[in-house]
Amino acid sequence: MNYKEFQESSKRTLAKLASKKEDLAHMVMGICSEISELEEAISKNDKNGIGEELADIQWYISNYNNIIGKEYVGNDNVSSDNIEMLIKLLYSQCSLLQDLVKKYLAYNKEINSSVEKSILYNIEGILIAIYNLYGISCEEYMEKNILKLKARYPDKFENTLALNRNLEVERNILEA
């Protein structure tokens, strides 16, 4: 699955909240919570879990881009074999994005789109570097992410389905 297909497929399971501001806040909070899950998978050296969490972060970035009307692109310009540094960079970039959205949400300050674009591009570069570090296929896990979400939400996002997941079915998809 390529980035364009992933972005288009990601829209299907995006929960629409009351406003664009809330939607962006949801995406940034999602990125941050997935980073901690990524750290847990890394600590267990769980390659499947690492791939899943990276693709989950990509889902949030992809839908962030859907919300702002931008194309989601990959970035393979980051390279490192230091996972601790990559995680720190990921948290740092997420924090910068969070600050932009916080000011937009709470202070009504418009988001600087060039800064926003740069941060999103940097996050994607860090994710690709982590995929590469662990020898995991980005394209494969983007596809698995969409298949997992299709199993969870057969038609579209629904709150009740989010709260009552069939983790066994999802795990089987990810491990296939």
Side-chain angles (χ1 to χ4, degrees):
M1 176 169 283
N2 65 36
Y3 292 106
K4 188 173 184 171
E5 294 166 332
F6 184 73
Q7 183 172 2
E8 185 60 34
S9 296
S10 296
K11 289 178 189 178
R12 191 180 71 75
T13 53
L14 175 61
K16 292 288 189 176
L17 304 178
S19 69
K20 177 182 176 182
K21 290 178 179 184
E22 289 180 20
D23 289 340
L24 292 177
H26 173 213
M27 295 304 103
V28 174
M29 287 187 284
I31 293 167
C32 292
S33 65
E34 295 296 339
I35 295 171
S36 66
E37 292 178 23
L38 173 62
E39 282 185 301
E40 183 179 337
I42 289 169
S43 74
K44 295 176 181 175
N45 201 27
D46 174 7
K47 282 180 77 169
N48 199 42
I50 294 167
E52 176 186 10
E53 302 312 333
L54 290 169
D56 286 347
I57 295 168
Q58 287 180 288
W59 182 91
Y60 283 105
I61 294 168
S62 179
N63 275 312
Y64 188 105
N65 279 304
N66 282 329
I67 293 163
I68 64 172
K70 302 286 184 200
E71 184 177 339
Y72 176 67
V73 295
N75 168 10
D76 60 2
N77 293 325
V78 177
S79 179
S80 176
D81 61 357
N82 184 331
I83 191 61
E84 291 84 11
M85 182 193 75
L86 290 169
I87 294 295
K88 279 184 180 181
L89 287 171
L90 194 54
Y91 272 123
S92 174
Q93 292 298 302
C94 183
S95 179
L96 293 172
L97 186 61
Q98 205 170 32
D99 192 54
L100 290 177
V101 172
K102 174 198 74 177
K103 289 174 181 172
Y104 177 55
L105 179 66
Y107 315 144
N108 226 19
K109 180 180 179 184
E110 286 301 313
I111 294 175
N112 180 321
S113 63
S114 64
V115 171
E116 177 184 55
K117 181 179 177 181
S118 177
I119 292 168
L120 292 167
Y121 189 71
N122 290 341
I123 291 171
E124 181 58 22
I126 296 162
L127 298 178
I128 297 300
I130 297 171
Y131 274 117
N132 292 338
L133 181 61
Y134 286 91
I136 299 170
S137 167
C138 171
E139 294 79 10
E140 176 186 343
Y141 273 88
M142 285 190 302
E143 186 165 345
K144 286 182 177 190
N145 178 273
I146 296 303
L147 292 172
K148 172 185 79 171
L149 293 172
K150 281 183 179 178
R152 188 183 303 169
Y153 310 111
D155 297 315
K156 62 179 181 156
F157 174 84
E158 292 181 35
N159 288 338
T160 57
L161 296 175
L163 298 171
N164 298 294
R165 298 166 45 188
N166 187 333
L167 297 176
E168 187 176 329
V169 168
E170 291 181 21
R171 180 59 46 199
N172 289 338
I173 291 167
L174 293 168
E175 291 176 353

